[in-house]
Each structure stands twice: as structure tokens, then as C-alpha cells.
């Protein structure tokens, strides 16, 4: 059972005049990714097949991620009644498949899997906090605030289990950092790009069009992050990577990532000469 449900959102406060078309595109994209979490529940159940406690926690986590998808889809439908969530989800699932049949972690070990899971939740914490801060439409702001609070809880959940697994399957600091960096670099992965195309573009989703999707999606995403929210997520990520004794690293990385995102947003949104 989640900490909230869709009835907790004040849908009546919806103000169409305050909908930002770019944020609507991002909401549609995120709705199918969040809703698709059932595949990750299956994958994590396979990877942690003998851990009943973690499997149960993952089920609760999956339900909350589905709810995030439903809340975003409901808002997107209010803002754009032509948005067909079910059809978009079907198109997305055709284009992108989670490796649900794998019985071992694609990250190399179960500890590494949990480091990667923590990193996902750090990213979503920064992302939804930033969306909530830039959004002017009150319902979208509320949805993003509630999702962001859940993402912090998800991080805490996976971090707690990571501590247990590190005792059984130790990782060096370097190994943890490598997994953290590798997972962070997947922030603009095929999953998000196919989700962007499935929810926002007409026509077939084509692998060869990924560079186009990347440009269009990243151009919208990079500019919304604030330094404050990046700091929070990156600090959490550094902790999952085992860098809590080096607070300077989180600060330096936050400033660097903020700078890179800002310059990417400027470059991608520059009108063609
Ligand atoms: Fe989520
Ligand atoms: Fe989450």
C-alpha cells in the first residue's frame, strides 16, 4: 500500500492556462516508464529469488511506481484530452523490453544491482523535485512533489538492503563508483527515448531515429534541473557509491553536472542558423 493514492491529488485545481507544453511532453514520457515498473519487479524477483523480504519490499515499490505512472497519465490527459495512454504504453512496450528473464543481475552482482537501483531513485528524486519547482500548473506541481517524496523513500529502501548485501557480497569503492557512474550515464537511455517517441510522436518508433529523439528529449530535460535539486540527488548517489566520507566530491559533481546540463540545454534549444 502506498503512502498516498490518486484521490490525494487536488484534481479540481487544474488550470489549463498554466500548462507548459514542454512539461506536458515530459509528463507523458515519464508516465509509461513509471507504469512499466512491473517488468522491473519481475526482474528483481528473479535476481533476488531467495530473499523473501526484499521481494515483498519490491512488490510495494512496484505498486508505487505504477501509481506514479497513473498520476502522470491522468494529469497529461487533463492537459491534452487526445493523449491515449494505453496506446502509448503498448507502443512503448513493443519498442523496449526489460530483461525480465535474467536470473542474475545485469550489473554483475546483487550488491551492484542495489547500487544501480539507488542511483535510479537519486535521479528520479532530482528530476521530480526540479519539475515540481519549475511547474506553474498547480496539479502537476502537487503530483511531482508527491512522486519526489516517494522517490526518496525508494532510495532509502534500496540503500538499506544494499547495506545488508555488502556484508555478503562486498564491493570495492572503485567497483561501487563504476556501477554508479555507469547507471547515471544511462539517464538518457533507450528506455526514456523510446518512451518519449511512443507518447509524443506519431508514426513508427525507429531505432535509427534515436539520435533525433535524444536531441528533442534532452533539449527539454536538461534545462529543468536546478542546482539545489541536483545536489540532493547527487549527494544520495555518492552515498550509494560509498563516497559519504568525501562530501566535496558530491559538491564538485553537482556543479559539473549542472554546468553540463545547462550548456546542453542552451545548445539543443538554439534556433538553427
Ligand atoms: Fe517513480
Ligand atoms: Fe522510484
Amino acid at each position: 500500500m502506498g503512502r498516498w493514492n490518486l484521490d490525494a491529488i487536488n484534481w479540481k485545481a487544474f488550470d489549463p492556462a498554466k500548462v507548459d507544453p514542454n512539461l506536458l511532453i515530459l509528463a507523458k514520457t515519464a508516465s509509461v516508464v513509471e507504469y512499466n515498473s512491473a517488468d522491473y519487479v519481475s526482474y528483481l524477483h528473479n535476481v533476488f529469488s531467495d530473499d523473501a523480504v526484499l521481494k515483498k519490499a519490491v512488490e510495494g515499490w512496484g505498486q508505487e511506481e505504477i501509481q506514479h505512472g497513473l498520476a502522470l497519465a491522468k494529469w497529461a490527459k487533463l492537459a491534452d484530452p487526445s493523449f491515449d495512454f494505453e496506446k502509448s504504453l503498448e507502443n512503448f512496450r513493443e519498442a523496449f523490453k526489460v530483461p525480465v528473464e535474467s536470473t542474475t543481475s545485469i550489473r554483475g552482482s546483487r550488491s551492484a544491482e542495489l547500487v544501480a537501483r539507488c542511483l535510479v531513485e537519486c535521479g528520479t528524486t532530482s528530476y521530480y523535485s526540479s519539475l515540481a519547482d519549475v511547474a506553474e500548473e498547480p496539479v502537476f506541481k502537487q503530483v511531482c512533489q508527491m512522486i519526489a517524496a516517494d522517490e526518496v523513500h525508494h532510495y532509502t529502501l534500496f540503500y538499506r538492503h544494499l547495506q545488508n548485501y555488502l556484508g555478503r557480497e562486498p564491493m570495492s569503492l572503485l567497483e561501487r563508483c563504476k556501477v554508479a557512474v555507469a547507471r547515471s550515464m544511462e539517464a538518457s537511455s533507450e528506455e526514456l527515448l523510446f518512451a518519449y517517441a511512443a507518447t509524443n510522436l506519431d508514426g513508427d518508433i525507429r531505432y535509427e531515429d534515436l539520435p533525433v529523439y535524444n536531441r528533442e528529449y534532452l533539449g527539454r530535460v536538461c534545462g529543468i534541473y536546478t542546482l539545489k535539486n541536483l545536489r540532493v540527488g547527487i549527494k544520495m548517489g555518492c552515498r550509494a557509491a560509498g563516497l559519504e566520507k568525501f562530501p566535496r566530491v558530491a559538491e564538485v559533481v553537482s556543479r559539473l553536472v549542472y554546468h553540463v546540463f545547462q550548456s546542453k540545454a542552451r545548445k539543443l534549444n538554439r534556433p538553427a542558423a
Side-chain angles (χ1 to χ4, degrees):
M1 197 63 185
R3 277 167 288 275
W4 53 277
N5 59 36
L6 294 189
D7 294 337
I9 310 284
N10 184 16
W11 301 103
K12 288 195 189 112
F14 179 70
D15 183 350
K18 290 187 174 164
V19 172
D20 178 327
N22 276 326
L23 299 191
L24 175 57
I25 286 170
L26 299 183
K28 288 178 181 175
T29 304
S31 70
V32 293
V33 177
E34 294 275 0
Y35 190 85
N36 208 32
S37 68
D39 280 356
Y40 284 103
V41 171
S42 302
Y43 164 70
L44 291 171
H45 272 201
N46 287 347
V47 172
F48 296 94
S49 58
D50 59 350
D51 187 336
V53 176
L54 179 50
K55 276 162 69 181
K56 187 151 178 43
V58 161
E59 268 165 33
W61 163 81
Q63 286 304 315
E64 291 184 1
E65 299 295 14
I66 286 173
Q67 183 167 269
H68 296 174
L70 291 174
L72 290 163
K74 184 167 175 172
W75 179 80
K77 187 105 184 142
L78 273 181
D80 172 11
S82 74
F83 176 51
D84 187 341
F85 174 68
E86 287 74 22
K87 182 76 191 134
S88 298
L89 184 65
E90 200 183 306
N91 291 346
F92 171 57
R93 283 176 168 166
E94 256 168 47
F96 180 78
K97 303 259 183 279
V98 178
V100 282
E101 67 290 340
S102 178
T103 52
T104 53
S105 170
I106 56 169
R107 308 285 161 190
S109 73
R110 302 206 284 185
S111 291
E113 181 63 46
L114 289 167
V115 172
R117 292 320 313 171
C118 284
L119 261 292
V120 173
E121 306 299 342
C122 301
T124 49
T125 298
S126 286
Y127 184 55
Y128 289 109
S129 303
S130 295
L131 282 177
D133 285 353
V134 298
E136 289 183 11
E137 198 297 303
V139 179
F140 187 57
K141 194 181 255 305
Q142 190 194 359
V143 167
C144 291
Q145 283 167 342
M146 295 179 89
I147 294 178
D150 275 356
E151 306 299 8
V152 176
H153 283 283
H154 295 166
Y155 168 85
T156 309
L157 164 78
F158 288 119
Y159 184 79
R160 213 173 50 236
H161 286 280
L162 170 64
Q163 296 312 301
N164 292 339
Y165 271 88
L166 284 173
R168 287 181 255 169
E169 298 178 13
M171 290 176 79
S172 68
L173 182 62
L174 183 62
E175 285 168 334
R176 282 172 75 174
C177 288
K178 272 187 181 169
V179 173
V181 171
R183 187 59 191 85
S184 311
M185 300 302 270
E186 291 167 25
S188 60
S189 65
E190 287 172 12
E191 180 176 22
L192 285 169
L193 300 181
F194 283 138
Y196 161 72
T199 50
N200 290 288
L201 306 178
D202 294 327
D204 293 339
I205 302 172
R206 301 186 324 167
Y207 200 82
E208 56 268 38
D209 287 338
L210 276 176
V212 179
Y213 306 155
N214 189 49
R215 205 165 49 241
E216 293 175 358
Y217 179 71
L218 278 192
R220 291 183 167 96
V221 162
C222 287
I224 64 122
Y225 284 94
T226 63
L227 179 57
K228 176 193 83 171
N229 292 317
L230 276 173
R231 259 193 197 117
V232 172
I234 289 171
K235 205 170 159 194
M236 289 157 66
C238 285
R239 195 163 158 242
L243 290 166
E244 60 272 31
K245 288 189 187 132
F246 309 98
R248 218 31 227 145
V249 175
E251 181 57 25
V252 170
V253 174
S254 301
R255 286 178 180 274
L256 184 69
V257 172
Y258 180 69
H259 173 75
V260 169
F261 279 9
Q262 288 293 305
S263 72
K264 260 193 182 175
R266 273 195 302 274
K267 194 173 148 208
L268 292 167
N269 292 315
R270 198 178 294 147

